[in-house]
């Protein structure tokens, strides 16, 4: 385990070189100055967006944006700006906001164009910036990571293991979508479509807020739905051709839980396509709220505008997490009140990055909800 590093040292990183291909390389630690620093990476979580990026034709890069580690070589100005110094253990958000635009000044820095790669081709953020952009060490699938001056670090309690601390971002997503964007209230009924890591984060957040929670997935999600159940879902259902429940039966179940009204809030963390959006609208009560956490890149052919209008449904599209939501997630992890380790289903080293990405994509036959890479060395978990 590295405890120190200096400019010019070589470190190992898993570099994505082509769609579906990774190779281990030795990269050089950059010079840092008064405004930036380095992270000795303890753990890097794997997100569903990593799976999509891994299959895309993109420039070489070090992936990994759910990163936990110990700060090193922190410059004087960086220490003052971040509130952290050498030796502090942190979780980094992926965003690298400018700090002075409208979004940053109104606490919505995740919308800052300086770090929004979907709106600004020149944007930088951890885990997706190409290797060709100096200094190259932009992701957590490496022993050491560059920490940009605009980084957003959170303190990680010593009691939280590194692999679990990476869950701060997907759990934070769930809290953001359900509690902050979805405005859930105690006693309401929440349906979560899609039991991925952030979807289960939404289940956890809704239950912690005092809601009745229904989690819905497909037959392939059987293991994930069991995790959702153990973390608070009051009922789970598998729909689709090989499922045990039809969508009509799910709707009847929701109506039964709500005295015939329908769900107060539905979070579409599944696909954001015609099928899931129409299903979500069908499940909602009058004046219910739809949170679109997943988004198809294709326009919807059958968005049910009439039904949305007649039901007076509020529609909120969401992306990512806020500072507040990640702090909530880290506090929940530190409380040790839930078996959140159930979400961490694979831990490997740098040599296992390709396998872990494929397993997260469902290509290996072994169900993986959330994979974590320990760059400083770990047993091969296969």
């Amino acid at each position: 385990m590295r405890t120190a590093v200096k400019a010019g040292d070589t470190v190992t990183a898993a570099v994505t070189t082509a769609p579906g291909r990774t190779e281990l390389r030795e990269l050089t630690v950059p010079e840092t100055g008064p405004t930036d620093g380095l992270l000795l990476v303890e753990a890097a979580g794997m997100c569903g967006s990593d799976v999509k990026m891994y299959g895309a034709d993109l420039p070489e890069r070090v992936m990994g944006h759910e990163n936990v580690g110990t700060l090193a070589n922190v410059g004087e100005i960086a220490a003052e700006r971040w509130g952290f110094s050498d030796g502090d253990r942190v979780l980094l958000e992926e965003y690298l906001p400018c700090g002075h635009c409208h979004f940053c000044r109104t606490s919505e820095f995740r919308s800052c164009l300086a770090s929004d790669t979907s709106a600004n081709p020149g944007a930088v953020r951890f885990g997706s910036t190409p290797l060709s952009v100096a200094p190259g060490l932009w992701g957590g699938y490496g022993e050491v990571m560059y920490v940009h001056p605009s980084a957003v670090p959170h303190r990680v309690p010593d009691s939280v293991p590194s692999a679990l601390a990476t869950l701060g971002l997907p759990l934070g997503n769930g809290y953001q979508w359900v509690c902050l964007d979805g405005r859930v209230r105690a006693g309401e009924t929440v349906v979560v479509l899609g039991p991925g890591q952030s979807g289960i984060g939404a289940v956890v957040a809704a239950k912690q807020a005092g809601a009745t929670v229904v989690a819905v997935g497909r037959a392939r999600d059987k293991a994930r739905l069991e995790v959702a159940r153990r973390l608070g879902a009051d009922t789970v259902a598998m729909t689709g051709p090989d499922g045990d429940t039809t969508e009509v039966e799910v709707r009847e179940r929701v109506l039964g839980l709500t005295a015939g009204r329908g769900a107060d809030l539905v979070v579409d963390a599944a696909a954001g396509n015609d099928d899931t959006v129409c299903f979500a609208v069908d499940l909602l009560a009058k004046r219910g709220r739809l949170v679109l956490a997943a988004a198809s890149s294709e326009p919807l052919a059958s968005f049910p505008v009439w039904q949305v209008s007649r039901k007076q449904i509020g529609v909120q599209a969401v992306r990512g997490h806020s500072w507040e939501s990640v702090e909530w997630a880290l506090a929940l992890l530190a409380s040790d009140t839930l078996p959140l380790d159930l979400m961490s289903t694979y831990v490997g080293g740098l040599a296992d990055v390709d396998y872990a990405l494929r397993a997260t994509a469902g290509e290996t036959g072994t169900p993986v909800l959330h994979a974590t890479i320990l760059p400083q060395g770990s047993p091969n978990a296969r």
Side-chain angles (χ1 to χ4, degrees), residues 156-377:
V156 175
D158 290 338
S159 62
V160 181
S162 301
L164 289 188
T166 65
L167 292 169
L169 297 193
L171 285 170
N173 287 344
Y175 179 81
Q176 180 71 42
W177 303 344
V178 168
C179 296
L180 301 183
D181 295 326
R183 307 182 309 281
V184 71
R185 295 184 291 273
E188 290 191 323
T189 298
V190 177
V191 179
V192 178
L193 307 180
Q197 51 194 255
S198 294
I200 290 182
V203 168
V204 171
K207 195 62 182 177
Q208 291 292 298
T212 298
V213 185
V214 179
V216 182
R218 297 289 191 169
R220 63 177 178 270
D221 298 320
K222 183 176 182 180
R224 295 180 174 193
L225 287 168
E226 176 59 18
V227 172
R229 186 190 65 78
R230 294 183 64 180
L231 291 179
D234 296 279
T235 185
V236 300
M238 292 184 291
T239 61
D242 299 318
D244 59 5
T245 312
T246 66
E247 291 186 356
V248 171
E249 289 169 334
V250 172
R251 183 174 183 273
E252 290 173 350
R253 195 178 301 182
V254 170
L255 291 174
L257 290 169
T258 59
R261 289 187 308 107
D264 300 286
L265 174 66
V266 177
V267 178
D268 182 359
N273 60 21
D274 284 305
D275 291 340
T276 59
V277 170
C278 290
F279 183 34
V281 169
D282 197 41
L283 293 173
L284 279 163
K286 275 196 170 184
R287 294 187 175 273
R289 293 152 351 250
L290 170 60
V291 168
L292 296 175
S296 169
S297 59
E298 298 297 323
L300 300 187
S302 56
F303 184 78
V305 176
W306 176 257
Q307 195 176 5
V308 169
S309 171
R310 294 304 89 188
K311 283 188 169 185
Q312 298 165 280
I313 289 169
V315 180
Q316 174 71 58
V318 297
R319 282 182 67 189
H321 43 260
S322 62
W323 169 270
E324 178 184 348
S325 65
V326 177
E327 286 290 298
W328 175 89
L330 288 170
L332 182 65
L333 286 160
S335 73
D336 199 27
T337 54
L338 290 174
L340 293 168
D341 58 306
L342 294 173
M343 293 180 66
S344 181
T345 50
Y346 178 88
V347 178
L350 288 177
D352 305 310
V353 166
D354 175 78
Y355 176 84
L357 284 162
R358 295 183 186 282
T360 303
E363 297 177 8
T364 64
T366 302
V368 170
L369 172 57
H370 186 266
T372 306
I373 299 301
L374 305 183
Q376 305 289 342

Side-chain angles (χ1 to χ4, degrees), residues 35-50:
T35 63
D36 52 11
L38 300 171
L39 187 76
L40 307 180
V41 184
E42 297 174 9
M46 204 163 274
C47 173
S49 64
D50 291 327

Side-chain angles (χ1 to χ4, degrees), residues 78-91:
E80 184 176 351
R81 175 170 180 162
W82 300 338
F84 294 101
S85 56
D86 284 9
D88 286 337
R89 191 162 173 254
V90 298
L91 166 67

Side-chain angles (χ1 to χ4, degrees), residues 51-64:
V51 172
K52 293 179 182 178
M53 189 184 301
Y54 194 48
D57 188 9
L58 297 168
E60 293 185 339
R61 66 196 60 215
V62 180
M63 292 172 56

